[in-house]
């Protein structure tokens, strides 16, 4: 069976959804004098990595009969950071955020390509050992393009990558050593994941772990920023309260159906739409916890195929006929526990729950990982992913969220 590449409307939607946060982030920073409030930075990084052999294609079941074990990527990044000895710096540990671009290679351009990634990122301090040496974390989230995906005629071994565009997720920890007023040295390790969020089939994905080494140039950092001030700004008392998040989301997905021991890919895509309503207790500046009512319509749920090949579609080629059950088999309602890590501009949300109403595929234990990107005080973009039983990919959750009864205080950047 030959799988078609994603349509232009899918690619356009991915790009729009990725670049909208850049405009939001810029709008949120324009209100303050950015020269006074932030340190602007440019960073270059190299990241050698080991490719974890999670599927037969990577282990050597490919055109070259050779395992794919290593990768290397070069990164160019821009970020802005809260100045040291400010209120925001004390609360968020020297948080910085920005956007980057990378070029990735696996040493096999024919079967995998040399994809580029475009991403947002944020990091902050975990611990400070000396005024010039700290342990930091950083996450990256974005889109990668330029892959050589599975093709039934020309790239039939590639069971890892099914689309030319894939999500890019990276997280790591590193040491940041301040060498001078302008230059920092970065040295650490990270983990990377590429996949298409089940929007194309196959979707085994690629996982990597490795090292990162880089240099950061701080354009407007002053000598006073490298010393610890004896007069620390007071942190306003946080008003603990309950806020309410309503998220409306949608996406599309492909479906693989097992026929005996063989998995057959559906010929088309299926729509997904849903909502989350979550009362969240705001514990402090950086943490929320609560519960969520989760409703979803999954157009691919409980589809099935018979154990024979039928001719359809007017093409004359034998393909499996897929059947859709009634809508009552494609709706579910679940309850999940939620925890959120809150930072400037971005919130990382994690959840685990179970469907209390649902049939067949819609039953079971599910997990949610999402990035919320602030647009206004009461609205945000939502980019999430739903996983079943910690291993089975479900669907993307691309949507818009609204926050009610939000008493989160405005943090001073000075």
């Amino acid at each position: 069976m030959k799988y078609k590449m994603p349509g232009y409307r899918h690619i356009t939607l991915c790009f729009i959804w990725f670049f909208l946060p850049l405009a939001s982030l810029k709008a949120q920073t324009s209100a303050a004098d950015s020269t006074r409030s932030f340190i602007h930075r440019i960073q270059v990084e190299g990241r050698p990595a080991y490719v974890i052999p999670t599927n037969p294609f990577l282990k050597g079941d490919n055109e070259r009969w050779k395992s794919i074990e290593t990768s290397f990527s070069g990164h160019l990044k821009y970020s802005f950071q809260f100045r040291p000895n400010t209120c925001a710096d004390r609360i968020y540990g020297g948080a910085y955020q920005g956007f980057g671009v990378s070029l990735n290679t696996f040493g096999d351009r024919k079967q995998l390509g040399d994809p580029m990634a475009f991403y947002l990122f944020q990091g902050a301090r975990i611990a400070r050992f000396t005024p010039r040496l700290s342990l930091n974390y950083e996450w990256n989230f974005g889109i990668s393009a330029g892959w050589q995906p599975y093709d039934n005629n020309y790239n039939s071994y590639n069971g890892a990558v099914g689309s030319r565009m894939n999500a890019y997720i990276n997280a790591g920890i590193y040491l940041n050593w301040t060498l001078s007023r302008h230059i920092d040295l970065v040295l650490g390790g990270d983990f990377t994941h590429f996949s298409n969020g089940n929007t194309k089939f196959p979707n085994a994905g690629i996982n990597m772990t490795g090292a990162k080494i880089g240099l950061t140039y701080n354009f407007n950092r002053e000598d006073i920023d490298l010393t610890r001030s004896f007069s620390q700004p007071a942190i306003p008392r946080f008003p603990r309260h309950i806020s309410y998040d309503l998220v409306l989301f949608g996406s599309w997905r492909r479906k693989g159906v097992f026929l005996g021991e063989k998995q057959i890919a559906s010929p088309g895509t299926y729509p997904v739409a849903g909502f989350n309503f979550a009362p969240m207790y705001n514990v402090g500046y950086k943490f929320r916890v609560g519960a969520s009512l989760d409703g979803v319509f999954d157009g691919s749920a409980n589809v099935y195929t018979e154990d024979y090949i039928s001719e359809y579609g007017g093409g004359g080629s034998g393909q499996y006929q897929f059947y859709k059950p009634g809508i009552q088999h494609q709706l579910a309602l679940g309850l999940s526990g939620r925890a959120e890590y809150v930072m400037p501009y971005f919130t990382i949300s994690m959840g685990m729950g179970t469907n209390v109403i649902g049939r067949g595929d819609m039953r079971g234990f599910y997990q949610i990982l999402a990035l919320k990107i602030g647009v206004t005080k009461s609205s945000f973009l939502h980019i999430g992913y739903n996983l079943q039983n910690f291993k089975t990919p479900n669907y993307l959750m691309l949507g818009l969220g609204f926050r009610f009864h939000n008493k989160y205080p405005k943090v001073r950047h000075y």
Side-chain angles (χ1 to χ4, degrees):
M1 181 185 297
K2 183 177 174 114
Y3 306 111
K4 296 180 181 179
M5 294 300 104
Y8 286 110
R9 61 188 180 91
H10 293 164
I11 296 174
T12 302
L13 178 59
C14 286
F15 270 113
I16 291 174
W17 207 259
F18 176 68
F19 283 109
L20 269 176
L22 298 183
S24 169
L25 188 151
K26 182 178 179 181
Q28 293 178 65
T29 59
S30 63
D33 180 358
S34 62
T35 302
R36 178 175 61 86
S37 302
F38 303 106
I39 298 172
H40 298 272
R41 304 145 33 108
I42 289 289
Q43 188 173 48
V44 291
E45 283 181 2
R47 302 183 188 175
Y50 167 68
V51 179
I52 302 172
T54 53
N55 55 74
F57 171 74
L58 299 175
K59 293 177 181 178
D61 185 9
N62 53 49
E63 186 178 277
R64 300 197 308 167
W65 295 107
K66 183 178 180 181
S67 60
I68 299 173
E69 300 178 342
T70 60
S71 172
F72 182 83
S73 60
H75 296 250
L76 178 63
K77 302 154 62 178
Y78 162 78
S79 63
F80 59 94
Q81 180 181 33
F82 296 109
R83 285 195 178 275
N85 306 317
T86 62
C87 184
D89 174 74
R90 291 191 64 192
I91 294 173
Y92 299 114
Y96 61 92
Q97 44 279 313
F99 52 89
V101 60
S102 69
L103 178 62
N104 305 263
T105 180
F106 298 89
D108 195 334
R109 178 178 293 182
K110 181 178 180 182
Q111 294 189 97
L112 280 175
D114 292 329
M116 294 187 68
F118 308 88
Y119 56 90
L120 302 171
F121 66 91
Q122 186 175 62
R125 185 172 58 247
I126 299 173
R128 173 178 282 162
F129 305 116
T130 72
R132 290 178 176 261
L133 181 64
S134 64
L135 179 67
N136 295 12
Y137 75 85
E138 182 181 296
W139 57 259
N140 305 169
F141 181 82
I143 294 172
S144 59
W147 294 88
Q148 290 294 338
Y150 173 91
D151 184 279
N152 195 46
N153 295 323
Y154 306 107
N155 199 10
S156 60
Y157 288 100
N158 187 355
V161 178
S163 56
R164 294 193 181 277
M165 296 184 64
N166 291 275
Y168 163 73
I169 302 173
N170 173 276
I173 58 174
Y174 65 92
L175 292 171
N176 190 91
W177 183 16
T178 300
L179 301 179
S180 69
R181 171 184 164 185
H182 293 293
I183 304 295
D184 292 348
L185 174 67
V186 168
L187 182 62
D190 62 1
F191 174 83
T192 301
H193 173 72
F194 292 103
S195 72
N196 62 37
N198 231 28
T199 57
K200 290 289 292 182
F201 192 88
N203 182 40
I206 295 178
N207 299 304
M208 307 182 299
T209 184
K212 59 186 292 182
I213 183 169
L215 291 173
T216 305
Y217 185 83
N218 300 269
F219 285 95
N220 58 329
R221 189 163 66 184
E222 305 295 337
D223 289 332
I224 194 173
D225 294 325
L226 304 180
T227 61
R228 181 169 295 187
S229 174
F230 291 104
S231 60
Q232 298 286 342
I235 297 176
R237 178 180 174 272
F238 185 86
R240 294 188 174 186
H241 63 284
I242 296 177
S243 58
Y244 303 88
D245 282 10
L246 174 64
V247 174
L248 306 175
F249 66 86
S251 66
W252 68 96
R253 65 173 297 188
R254 290 291 297 271
K255 183 77 170 184
V257 175
F258 278 99
L259 190 61
E261 297 183 355
K262 184 179 180 182
Q263 194 174 37
I264 307 299
S266 63
T269 59
Y270 299 91
V272 176
F275 73 89
N276 306 140
F277 179 71
M280 301 293 292
Y281 180 58
N282 293 253
V283 180
Y285 281 102
K286 298 169 66 174
F287 190 63
R288 296 190 191 105
V289 64
S292 178
L293 179 66
D294 307 320
V296 65
F297 163 74
D298 182 354
S300 72
N302 297 305
V303 299
Y304 63 96
T305 185
E306 302 291 351
D307 192 11
Y308 62 88
I309 297 179
S310 62
E311 300 289 336
Y312 75 100
S317 60
Q319 296 184 357
Y320 287 91
Q321 176 70 61
F322 278 70
Y323 301 92
K324 293 181 63 176
I327 192 171
Q328 69 273 16
H329 295 275
Q330 299 179 319
L331 295 171
L333 191 67
L335 293 173
S336 62
R338 298 295 181 99
E340 295 188 346
Y341 180 63
V342 183
M343 291 292 281
Y345 314 108
F346 303 106
T347 296
I348 298 174
S349 179
M350 294 172 286
M352 291 188 293
T354 186
N355 285 323
V356 295
I357 300 176
R359 302 181 182 184
D361 293 349
M362 305 299 276
R363 295 177 181 172
F365 190 47
Y366 60 87
Q367 301 76 48
I368 292 172
L369 178 64
L371 179 66
K372 296 180 177 181
I373 305 166
V375 178
T376 68
K377 186 175 182 179
S378 58
S379 65
F380 53 88
L381 297 178
H382 180 278
I383 306 174
Y385 194 67
N386 185 291
L387 191 71
Q388 190 172 39
N389 297 325
F390 293 101
K391 62 179 181 179
T392 305
N394 267 349
Y395 46 79
L396 287 171
M397 304 166 68
L398 307 177
L400 183 63
F402 304 91
R403 183 165 296 126
F404 304 98
H405 196 246
N406 184 15
K407 295 184 178 181
Y408 204 93
K410 184 180 175 84
V411 177
R412 298 190 304 272
H413 296 166
Y414 53 88

